[in-house]
Amino acid sequence: MSSKQLVFTVPDECDGMTARVFLRRRCGVSARILTQLKREKDGILRNGQLLKTIDILRSGDLIVLNLPEDKSEIVPVKGELDILYEDENILAVNKPAFMPVHPTKVHQLDTLANIVSYRQNKTGESFVFRAVNRLDRNTSGIILIAKDKFTSTALSNSVEKTYLAVCEGELEKCGTIDVPIMLSPDSKIKRIADQNGSPAVTHFEPVFSNGTHTLIKLRLETGRTHQIRCHMSYLGYPLAGDDLYGGSLDLINRQALHCGYTSFIHPITEERIEIKSPIPKDFVSAFPWIDEVV
């Protein structure tokens, strides 16, 4: 089976480290991946030669990890992808509203994963679909997809995201909602703010209000299901179009929530990558003033 290579150069400050310490602490390679690589032929190489994790590294050494190729089992379905960023390790796409990210019993052939699988067949790539972040079916915006296990692990819990939303009412001040969230006893879907729930922290910042609605930016410290929707409803400013949490469907037919910005340190190049997604068309149609303030 063919493999995918990850390449690292040992910097001066890591001279004298063992390979294990360098790969785990400096490069962020998980213990599970290292264990797997030890079982692979030529799994870990230094300057073209087999490397043991107990070996001492020298400045300038070229370390190559040959990750076994993993193949997606998701059914490929033809569709359009709005690609915002791509390299050998990461694919970032702008997910439209009403598209699920992963296949489920109800949605098996109409998901983002199906379309990515189709594209893999066209480009000759082969990787398991690993979404670094998740969005509700009706939420639009940036989805990061890791093309290998290492990148998926390295990016988990380290990606900064900013959401744009339109809430009902006139919200004037910035603030933080630090209230636990739990599944409502009366629903299999809806969340409620409750002290018995899991910790959830949402930061919000008003951008512009027309008197009846407010465009806000949001940043999450935690990633609970429906966190923004639940917290804004708890605050008394439900998202427009979010009838599950008290919002009106008069102007838009889905929760007015969009993941518009993300940034992260690339796990291989160590560069800061910033990705932006344009305001969705249904936002502008429902709230024409958005075009003038964003």
Side-chain angles (χ1 to χ4, degrees):
M1 181 179 290
S2 60
S3 63
K4 179 174 182 177
Q5 289 190 334
L6 299 178
V7 181
F8 304 97
T9 300
V10 179
D12 293 342
E13 61 268 26
C14 295
D15 186 271
M17 279 187 180
T18 65
R20 180 178 179 81
V21 170
F22 172 72
L23 291 170
R24 292 281 285 119
R25 297 182 184 176
R26 173 75 184 206
C27 303
V29 180
S30 70
R32 178 178 295 182
I33 291 178
L34 280 184
T35 299
Q36 182 183 24
L37 289 172
K38 289 178 184 179
R39 301 192 185 111
E40 299 291 329
K41 180 183 178 182
D42 297 333
I44 309 175
L45 300 176
R46 170 175 52 186
N47 304 327
Q49 302 297 316
L50 191 64
L51 177 69
K52 297 179 180 179
T53 55
I54 60 173
D55 290 344
I56 301 298
L57 301 181
R58 295 304 174 196
S59 174
D61 281 347
L62 192 68
I63 310 301
V64 176
L65 308 184
N66 287 303
L67 299 177
E69 187 176 83
D70 48 11
K71 185 174 178 60
S72 173
E73 297 182 356
I74 294 174
V75 177
V77 177
K78 187 176 182 179
E80 295 296 323
L81 283 181
D82 183 4
I83 298 175
L84 302 173
Y85 173 87
E86 184 174 23
D87 60 29
E88 293 181 353
N89 308 97
I90 299 165
L91 172 66
V93 301
N94 185 26
K95 185 188 84 68
F98 308 111
M99 177 184 286
V101 175
H102 297 90
T104 64
K105 289 184 180 180
V106 179
H107 299 277
Q108 296 189 15
L109 300 175
D110 59 347
T111 73
L112 180 64
N114 295 119
I115 300 175
V116 171
S117 179
Y118 178 85
R119 183 173 184 271
Q120 287 183 48
N121 286 351
K122 289 186 63 178
T123 61
E125 288 186 294
S126 178
F127 56 85
V128 170
F129 182 88
R130 297 182 177 92
V132 177
N133 63 310
R134 299 186 180 187
L135 298 178
D136 293 340
R137 173 177 174 268
N138 292 351
T139 300
S140 58
I142 302 169
I143 291 283
L144 288 181
I145 301 158
K147 295 185 179 181
D148 56 75
K149 291 180 181 179
F150 167 74
T151 302
S152 177
T153 301
L155 290 180
S156 63
N157 302 318
S158 63
V159 177
E160 298 177 10
K161 299 180 290 292
T162 299
Y163 294 82
L164 285 175
V166 178
C167 68
E168 298 189 351
E170 189 172 10
L171 189 60
E172 298 178 340
K173 296 181 179 180
C174 301
T176 296
I177 309 170
D178 186 354
V179 181
I181 289 175
M182 63 180 288
L183 182 65
S184 172
D186 303 324
S187 174
K188 294 182 179 180
I189 301 173
K190 187 177 180 180
R191 267 60 182 175
I192 58 173
D194 191 287
Q195 292 301 322
N196 295 316
S198 301
V201 180
T202 303
H203 304 283
F204 62 89
E205 173 190 348
V207 177
F208 177 83
S209 177
N210 70 344
T212 61
H213 294 83
T214 304
L215 177 68
I216 53 177
K217 290 183 178 180
L218 303 111
R219 183 174 58 83
L220 306 182
E221 286 191 22
T222 52
R224 308 302 175 196
T225 300
H226 293 187
Q227 179 172 322
I228 290 174
R229 300 167 64 189
C230 179
H231 268 174
M232 292 309 298
S233 178
Y234 167 82
L235 195 66
Y237 298 87
L239 301 190
D242 193 1
D243 57 341
L244 181 63
Y245 289 95
S248 171
L249 294 171
D250 289 346
L251 296 178
I252 190 169
N253 65 344
R254 56 104 173 183
Q255 66 257 19
L257 182 60
H258 178 73
C259 183
Y261 170 84
T262 187
S263 67
F264 55 90
I265 301 300
H266 197 290
I268 303 298
T269 66
E270 298 186 355
E271 293 180 280
R272 173 166 288 279
I273 305 295
E274 297 185 358
I275 302 171
K276 295 181 179 179
S277 171
I279 299 293
K281 293 180 180 179
D282 60 349
F283 269 41
V284 178
S285 296
F287 313 102
W289 45 268
I290 285 182
D291 245 359
E292 300 177 8
V293 298
V294 176

